[in-house]
Amino acid sequence: MSTHASDPLAALGSLPGVADSVDSVRKAVDRVYGHRVMRRRSNEITSEAALRGARGSAALSGADWALEEVRRRTDFGGDAEARTVGAALRLGAESGQLLSIWRQSPLRVLARLHLVAVGDTPDFGDSVGRPRQPGEAVDEPLIEAPLPDPAEVAGRLDGLSELIIAGGTAPALVTAAVVHGELLALRPFTSYNGLIARAAERIVLIGSGLDPKAICPAEVGHAEQGRAAYVAAFEGYLSGTPEGMAAWIAHCGRAVELGVRESTAVCEALQRGAA
C-alpha cells in the first residue's frame, strides 16, 4: 500500500475517480436491494449469488466450468480443476460465517479460509492454515508477480490486520479492493491464494453493510471482465502509484456492479417464474 497517512485506506478514497466508483457501486447495490423479489425471496438470491460467485472465482483460478456443471456436480475431489471448484464453493459457503471474527482477528479468518479451501485434499502436509515458510513453493496459476519473502509477508499481514481492526472512514469498496489486492500481492499460503483473496473481498463487502445479504457477487464481475483485465488491473495495485491504485479500485467496483447485474437478472427470472 502506497500511503502512510494516519488512515491510509480513507486517503485512497480521495484518489481521482475513486469517489465516482464508490458512488456508482452504491447506487447499483441499492437498486438490486430495492427489487421487489428481494422482499420475499432474498435467501434464494443469496444462494444463487454464492454459487455464481464461486464459479467466477474458480474460473479466474483456471477452472472455467459452466454454471450448470458447477450446480450439478457433487464430487470435487478429482483433478485439480475439480478441487479448485470445490474450494471456491466451500469458501463461498464459509465466508458469511466469519464476519464477527474478521473484525477482531483477520489473520485467524485467513487461516480458516485456507483450511476450508484445502478441505480433504491430501499432500498439503503441515502447510495448511498458516503462512508459507522460507523455501515453500506457491501454486497460484494466474499471478506471476514477484513473490515477497515470508518475513515481508508476515509484516504486511500484520499491517493489514491492524488497519481492519482499527476500522476507519474508508468506503467499503476501497477496503475490499485493498484487502483483495494485498492478499494477491503477498500470496501468503502455498495454495488457493486467489480464491482466498476474492473470498476476503466478499467478507469485507458483506461485513461493511454494503452487501449484507451477500447478493452482489464481485467474483462474477472479475471473471466477466476476463483474466487479462484482472491481471492488468492488479499490476496497477502492485505499482503503488495513485493512478494504479485508482485503476484497481475502479476494476473492483466494476466487478461489484457486474455482480449486481447478475443478481438482478436472477431476480427478474424469479419474477417471471422462469427460475
Side-chain angles (χ1 to χ4, degrees), residues 118-133:
V118 171
D120 297 328
T121 304
D123 303 327
F124 278 86
D126 68 351
S127 69
V128 180
R130 61 155 175 80
R132 54 187 168 81
Q133 297 176 354

Side-chain angles (χ1 to χ4, degrees), residues 170-230:
L173 172 64
V174 172
T175 303
V178 168
V179 167
H180 183 170
E182 192 70 354
L183 292 174
L184 276 186
L186 297 179
R187 281 147 289 161
F189 302 105
T190 58
S191 57
Y192 297 126
N193 289 290
L195 296 180
I196 290 168
R198 292 182 288 276
E201 178 186 50
R202 179 183 184 85
I203 288 171
V204 174
L205 293 171
I206 298 168
S208 66
L210 178 66
D211 182 23
K213 294 183 181 293
I215 62 166
C216 307
E219 307 96 321
V220 168
H222 286 304
E224 186 170 332
Q225 292 178 91
R227 299 178 91 196
Y230 183 75

Side-chain angles (χ1 to χ4, degrees), residues 50-51 53-54 57-58 61 83-98 109-119 189 191-200 202-203 206 219:
L51 181 75
S57 191
S61 286
R83 291 195 296 271
T84 295
V85 174
L89 287 166
R90 291 190 297 272
L91 288 171
E94 186 79 4
S95 295
Q97 312 303 314
L98 299 171
V109 169
L110 294 175
R112 174 63 184 167
L113 291 176
H114 191 236
L115 283 164
V116 168
V118 171
F189 302 105
S191 57
Y192 297 126
N193 289 290
L195 296 180
I196 290 168
R198 292 182 288 276
R202 179 183 184 85
I203 288 171
I206 298 168
E219 307 96 321

Side-chain angles (χ1 to χ4, degrees), residues 37-155:
V37 168
M38 283 294 296
R39 291 198 292 272
R40 61 188 187 279
R41 303 181 74 175
S42 65
N43 288 343
E44 292 173 70
I45 308 301
T46 297
S47 295
E48 190 65 18
L51 181 75
R52 294 178 185 224
R55 193 218 73 82
S57 191
L60 285 171
S61 286
D64 192 0
W65 289 15
L67 179 63
E68 292 312 313
E69 176 69 4
V70 177
R71 195 190 306 279
R72 179 187 68 81
R73 284 282 286 269
T74 57
D75 176 18
F76 297 98
D79 60 19
E81 284 197 9
R83 291 195 296 271
T84 295
V85 174
L89 287 166
R90 291 190 297 272
L91 288 171
E94 186 79 4
S95 295
Q97 312 303 314
L98 299 171
L99 299 176
S100 61
I101 304 172
W102 175 259
R103 298 185 189 102
Q104 300 167 5
S105 181
L107 301 186
R108 279 181 56 201
V109 169
L110 294 175
R112 174 63 184 167
L113 291 176
H114 191 236
L115 283 164
V116 168
V118 171
D120 297 328
T121 304
D123 303 327
F124 278 86
D126 68 351
S127 69
V128 180
R130 61 155 175 80
R132 54 187 168 81
Q133 297 176 354
E136 290 184 323
V138 173
D139 178 16
E140 184 52 52
L142 183 58
I143 304 303
E144 298 178 351
L147 201 63
D149 65 49
E152 181 181 349
V153 169

